[in-house]
Amino acid sequence: MKSVAKCLIGTVFLCATAGSAQASNFGFEANAARADSVWGGELGVAYSVKLSGFTLRPIVGAFLYQGDNDRYFRETFSNGRDVCRDSTNGRFADDELCNNLTAKAYGKVEASYTIPSGPELGAGGRFDGDEVRPYCYIA
């Protein structure tokens, strides 16, 4: 099974098993994101620790994006049939190899304060193996 599928299944499993008394502290995120000059999507699981309006929230997940593997390509025959081929040997390949979907793990930590009857103001850092990138948000 491809690592992308394993990552997605693991994320769904973590969200589904959060049905305990602490389930209200778990969260799920699905974002459009740009990392390392590449657009993609993020799927993550968060756990919030709350105390008097303040929240500390560690998050783990996967950044999904189109990779740059040019080995596999799509070809359409004159009869309209669309197939995936391996450019190294010309053989037909599984369709999943042509989508070039790649996953990269990331971790984030956010700290925030929720104004009573108002927005949540926060800051955090995102780590994806290369460097920590700081960010701020209003929710």
Side-chain angles (χ1 to χ4, degrees):
M1 185 182 292
K2 293 187 86 174
S3 61
V4 173
K6 288 179 184 177
C7 187
L8 290 174
I9 290 169
T11 302
V12 169
F13 179 74
L14 281 174
C15 289
T17 58
S20 68
Q22 299 294 323
S24 63
N25 292 347
F26 280 93
F28 178 74
E29 69 175 11
N31 306 312
R34 183 173 171 88
D36 296 326
S37 302
V38 176
W39 280 99
E42 289 181 342
L43 294 175
V45 176
Y47 184 80
S48 298
V49 178
K50 300 177 182 181
L51 179 64
S52 301
F54 292 95
T55 303
L56 181 64
R57 185 178 298 120
I59 304 167
V60 295
F63 175 60
L64 305 171
Y65 62 98
Q66 184 166 355
D68 57 0
N69 181 359
D70 293 331
R71 176 177 174 179
Y72 300 98
F73 66 95
R74 290 212 132 335
E75 182 178 1
T76 303
F77 295 124
S78 60
N79 65 0
R81 183 171 177 231
D82 189 43
V83 296
C84 180
R85 292 191 97 147
D86 186 339
S87 65
T88 61
N89 57 22
R91 293 183 179 168
F92 295 117
D94 291 334
D95 284 337
E96 69 181 31
L97 295 173
C98 279
N99 72 10
N100 286 335
L101 185 63
T102 304
K104 186 173 186 181
Y106 71 87
K108 297 194 286 191
V109 175
E110 298 175 349
S112 66
Y113 179 74
T114 302
I115 299 170
S117 300
E120 178 182 2
L121 307 172
R126 182 183 190 281
F127 179 73
D128 63 8
D130 298 331
E131 62 183 292
V132 176
R133 293 181 177 91
Y135 61 92
C136 296
Y137 67 93
I138 298 174

